[in-house]
Amino acid sequence: MNAAESNATPTEVEASTESVTKSNFIRDIIIADLQAGKHGGRVQTRFPPEPNGYLHIGHAKAICLDFGLAAEFGGKTNLRFDDTNPSKEETEYVDAIKEDVQWLGFQWDGLYYASDYFQQLYDWAVQMIKDGKAYVCDLTAEETREYRGTLTEPGKDSPYRNRSVEENLALFEGMKNGEFPDGSRTLRAKIDMASPNLNFRDPVMYRILHMHHHRTGDAWCIYPMYDYAHGQSDSIEQVTHSICTLEFEDHRPLYNWYIEQLGIFPSQQFEFDRLNLTYTVMSKRKLRQLVQDDLVNGWDDPRMPTLSGMRRRGYTPEAIRNFCASLGVSKTNGTTQLQQLEYYLREDLNKHALRVAAVLKPLKVVLTNYPDDLVEEMDAVNNPEDSSAGTRKVPFSKVLYIEQDDFREVPPPKFYRLSPGKEVRLRYGYIIKCEEVIKDADGNIVELHCTYDPETRSGSATSTRKVKATIHWVSATHAIDAEVRMYDTLFTKENPEDVEEGQDFTSNLNPNSLEVLTSKVEPSLKDATPGTRYQFERMGYFCVDPDSAPGKLVFNRTIGLKDTWAKIEQRGK
Ligand code: ATP
Ligand code: MG
């Protein structure tokens, strides 16, 4: 599948729910390697997050590929924390990442940290110095940049490039022993300052950073750079296929160079396109900014594209895996429509979510001809998609709530729900007719007086009349109050990076991305536990938020149903 096809609209998306990996070029490479007997028929992958934030939906694509491809060929996958930069890394992130990988449905074989390899990486650096392939350089960061040259101009050799092996060994040891301040020296690979690939122009291998590390504490004050650490870490773990995103393509020659110089296990790197989604940002740095500046309510805010936010919102791991399987794996970065993700979410929720009645914006209805004390138990179907889910009883009585949106005092054309003098069916109940609209002193509608037709009870022999619309309701005395958090996209623009000069992506935050409603839900939800997902009939999919407590239900709207009325209205405009 190419990038263009991967951006198909939801209806064009083929629903591939059975496998997390379908045909793609990386899979083809693995098959060819296996056929050629490479690595003795072994497939070993790794997922290497930097613990500097929570995982997002982009990481899910990488996880599904790393774990999915290995599993398909009987291979193994390590979870390796790429923790070589102590300034941004924390144990909180390590724990969150582990939880999210498991929630998504994957279990790693080995659990490793790049910091486990600090001693080995140091020893290898010493070996490279002895082999004349690395040197200690005293240029400042700015000088190093100047000396590097540009894409069109070659770089200049550092004046420290030809230090003797002995001097380099002594200085590097001094660096390790904390004798020099941060930034005063680096260890660099001695390659080629005129290479057309800038990454080859004597790349920095180690920098001095007197900083506490989340695992090694104060044992080290020099830290390896990503390029020097990543390939060797793969090699130590005998990773056969090291899969990463396209921005590392230019780093591949360096990845190979270190491995060749050291003569260690020949791991190989393969790059695929990053996932970008409309209406969201997908970089941990930016997501961290939203959290730290209190622009969202934490990493697991249900509006965030983090896996923890999506979980809280009500996403299922299956929906995310199916979405990832629907994505192309290609060599060109593109942007996927948010609707494609939502398609897979609805598809999965539709199969599994129990149906219940909830009135989000209540309007009181009094059935004037219904007996005052009568309560009838109506049979309601729990899930029409799953007959094994059974039925339940819902109480029906004289005073009910319906949605404010299901009533119009002056109905527009094609509005078939309730309006003065008109009839509508109450789902699992009766046909009712609006007789009178009651208003307060300010002219606001406060309740409707209706009559019901006793002959029309759903499922009864006498129910022969048909009306055009059926609406949902809850019984006023039985319903429970619930806080319902309605979400819209976190950004107003498809591409939040599309900003005015001098502004950043936060200028595109959607001021209306959260609306809190006080709603009425059917009594069967009394003991609903956090994380449980429901379809509120006609209103969408909702999930119980962890903020819920006994007597204080809180729901998140996961996603709406496709609202046919909104479409009709839009078309009319
Ligand atoms: P970020 O910029 O969000 O911090 P990153 O690439 O620095 O992302 P890492 O923790 O280093 O994040 O990434 C771990 C793995 O996940 C890497 O192999 C990386 O290529 C992959 N990955 C990160 N973002 C995406 C994305 N949007 N789509 C697909 N894979 C991704
Ligand atoms: Mg990174």
Side-chain angles (χ1 to χ4, degrees):
M1 197 193 248
N2 63 35
E5 280 167 322
S6 78
N7 292 340
T9 59
T11 43
E12 297 163 65
V13 172
E14 129 198 20
S16 82
T17 45
E18 59 297 326
S19 165
V20 287
T21 52
K22 60 182 176 184
S23 187
N24 67 61
F25 75 95
I26 298 177
R27 188 170 176 273
D28 294 343
I29 290 169
I30 295 178
I31 292 171
D33 286 349
L34 288 173
Q35 279 167 355
K38 213 167 169 179
H39 310 304
R42 202 169 52 82
V43 176
Q44 172 77 56
T45 63
R46 89 288 170 262
F47 173 63
E50 184 180 352
N52 62 348
Y54 282 55
L55 297 182
H56 51 62
I57 178 76
H59 290 110
K61 175 176 178 178
I63 293 171
C64 287
L65 278 175
D66 291 328
F67 283 86
L69 284 169
E72 189 181 348
F73 298 102
K76 294 185 170 166
T77 305
N78 293 339
L79 174 60
R80 180 172 73 237
F81 289 99
D82 190 2
D83 56 351
T84 55
N85 186 357
S87 64
K88 294 183 294 181
E89 294 157 5
E90 286 177 32
T91 309
E92 177 200 344
Y93 299 139
V94 168
D95 294 339
I97 289 171
K98 286 196 231 169
E99 185 184 352
D100 287 348
V101 170
Q102 287 176 320
W103 175 75
L104 200 54
F106 298 102
Q107 185 55 54
W108 49 86
D109 288 283
L111 175 64
Y112 301 110
Y113 297 81
S115 55
D116 294 339
Y117 310 137
F118 280 173
Q119 184 61 48
Q120 175 67 81
L121 292 168
Y122 179 82
D123 293 344
W124 277 332
V126 168
Q127 183 186 322
M128 285 183 58
I129 294 174
K130 288 181 180 163
D131 293 344
K133 291 167 183 164
Y135 62 96
V136 173
C137 181
D138 301 356
L139 292 180
T140 63
E142 197 178 319
E143 288 164 338
T144 308
R145 250 193 313 279
E146 276 166 29
Y147 274 71
R148 187 174 293 128
T150 63
L151 280 172
T152 49
E153 280 172 52
K156 279 190 300 185
D157 283 1
S158 158
Y160 305 98
R161 199 170 198 260
N162 295 313
R163 278 177 161 152
S164 68
V165 168
E166 290 67 33
E167 193 186 355
N168 280 320
L169 285 174
L171 285 172
F172 189 47
E173 196 173 346
M175 282 169 63
K176 177 189 168 217
N177 292 340
E179 290 167 18
F180 311 120
D182 288 2
S184 60
R185 294 196 151 98
T186 55
L187 183 74
R188 297 176 68 180
K190 196 170 180 176
I191 312 181
D192 177 7
M193 289 307 292
S195 171
N197 182 339
L198 268 66
N199 293 314
F200 259 47
R201 297 187 185 171
D202 290 9
V204 173
M205 294 165 61
Y206 273 91
R207 63 209 190 286
I208 303 173
L209 260 184
H210 289 83
M211 195 167 268
H212 194 80
H213 185 278
H214 76 118
R215 293 188 77 241
T216 58
D218 300 311
W220 295 88
C221 63
I222 55 170
Y223 290 95
M225 302 300 288
Y226 174 90
D227 283 326
Y228 179 68
H230 202 87
Q232 283 87 305
S233 301
D234 283 345
S235 183
I236 291 169
E237 293 171 24
Q238 307 226 333
V239 168
T240 57
H241 299 83
S242 177
I243 308 168
C244 64
T245 34
L246 280 175
E247 70 271 21
F248 294 105
E249 199 167 16
D250 286 349
H251 297 244
R252 187 183 346 119
L254 187 53
Y255 177 105
N256 293 335
W257 188 84
Y258 285 124
I259 286 179
E260 280 158 24
Q261 303 311 308
L262 295 168
I264 55 179
F265 180 84
S267 294
Q268 271 188 291
Q269 175 183 301
F270 303 93
E271 310 87 15
F272 68 94
D273 59 317
R274 254 184 125 74
L275 171 68
N276 296 301
L277 266 187
T278 53
Y279 297 104
T280 193
V281 292
M282 203 88 87
S283 124
K284 278 182 269 157
R285 187 177 58 75
K286 291 184 182 135
L287 298 176
R288 196 170 47 233
Q289 184 181 337
L290 294 176
V291 174
Q292 284 173 352
D293 295 351
D294 285 328
L295 298 169
V296 294
N297 299 317
W299 285 97
D300 68 345
D301 186 304
R303 293 166 293 182
M304 290 277 270
T306 52
L307 295 182
S308 52
M310 293 169 75
R311 171 166 68 238
R312 184 165 181 181
R313 173 123 169 201
Y315 271 80
T316 63
E318 291 80 3
I320 296 176
R321 291 200 304 266
N322 292 340
F323 165 69
C324 289
S326 77
L327 295 168
V329 180
S330 83
K331 280 283 187 189
T332 25
N333 283 323
T335 301
T336 300
Q337 298 290 320
L338 180 61
Q339 289 89 323
Q340 186 168 335
L341 174 62
E342 293 177 341
Y343 167 85
Y344 285 98
L345 176 61
R346 284 199 186 91
E347 184 195 53
D348 191 53
L349 291 174
N350 180 43
K351 276 186 254 165
H352 304 294
L354 295 182
R355 273 57 169 173
V356 292
V359 174
L360 300 185
K361 295 181 183 167
L363 171 61
K364 196 185 238 182
V365 168
V366 179
L367 303 180
T368 48
N369 62 338
Y370 195 85
D372 284 352
D373 299 325
L374 182 61
V375 177
E376 289 180 89
E377 296 287 339
M378 303 305 196
D379 284 311
V381 176
N382 288 333
N383 185 354
E385 301 288 322
D386 176 7
S387 55
S388 72
T391 59
R392 68 186 185 290
K393 302 277 187 202
V394 287
F396 184 92
S397 64
K398 185 180 180 79
V399 184
L400 309 168
Y401 290 112
I402 64 167
E403 294 288 346
Q404 289 170 15
D405 284 349
D406 282 336
F407 174 78
R408 292 286 172 91
E409 194 172 15
V410 183
K414 293 192 190 154
F415 183 88
Y416 300 121
R417 299 175 236 172
L418 204 57
S419 54
K422 292 281 165 37
E423 285 188 322
V424 74
R425 171 170 283 287
L426 296 178
R427 186 146 164 85
Y428 306 124
Y430 298 94
I431 291 175
I432 62 167
K433 182 175 183 184
C434 178
E435 310 283 359
E436 195 184 354
V437 180
I438 314 292
K439 296 184 180 175
D440 64 14
D442 298 329
N444 301 310
I445 299 171
V446 288
E447 80 184 47
L448 304 178
H449 286 180
C450 299
T451 49
Y452 86 113
D453 177 350
E455 303 292 292
T456 59
R457 179 169 170 165
S458 292
S460 71
T462 52
S463 173
T464 50
R465 282 202 305 124
K466 285 215 158 51
V467 288
K468 275 203 162 147
T470 301
I471 64 173
H472 65 281
W473 50 273
V474 293
S475 163
T477 47
H478 302 89
I480 318 170
D481 285 341
E483 175 180 323
V484 177
R485 300 175 182 168
M486 306 287 279
Y487 300 105
D488 195 354
T489 54
L490 189 51
F491 295 94
T492 50
K493 282 197 182 156
E494 274 207 11
N495 175 12
E497 309 288 351
D498 175 9
V499 290
E500 306 280 312
E501 208 169 308
Q503 305 242 292
D504 79 348
F505 70 102
T506 57
S507 64
N508 285 325
L509 277 166
N510 178 359
N512 303 315
S513 58
L514 170 62
E515 184 191 1
V516 179
L517 303 177
T518 303
S519 306
K520 299 278 183 187
V521 303
E522 69 168 63
S524 73
L525 289 172
K526 186 164 72 72
D527 299 317
T529 51
T532 315
R533 304 178 185 92
Y534 297 94
Q535 184 192 106
F536 288 177
E537 289 204 40
R538 300 178 61 235
M539 304 314 286
Y541 296 98
F542 294 77
C543 170
V544 184
D545 190 82
D547 285 348
S548 276
K552 178 186 173 283
L553 279 171
V554 180
F555 288 92
N556 295 313
R557 183 173 68 174
T558 312
I559 187 148
L561 301 173
K562 273 175 234 158
D563 183 348
T564 43
W565 173 249
K567 272 189 207 139
I568 292 172
E569 250 186 343
Q570 259 163 10
R571 248 181 265 133
K573 270 179 195 159

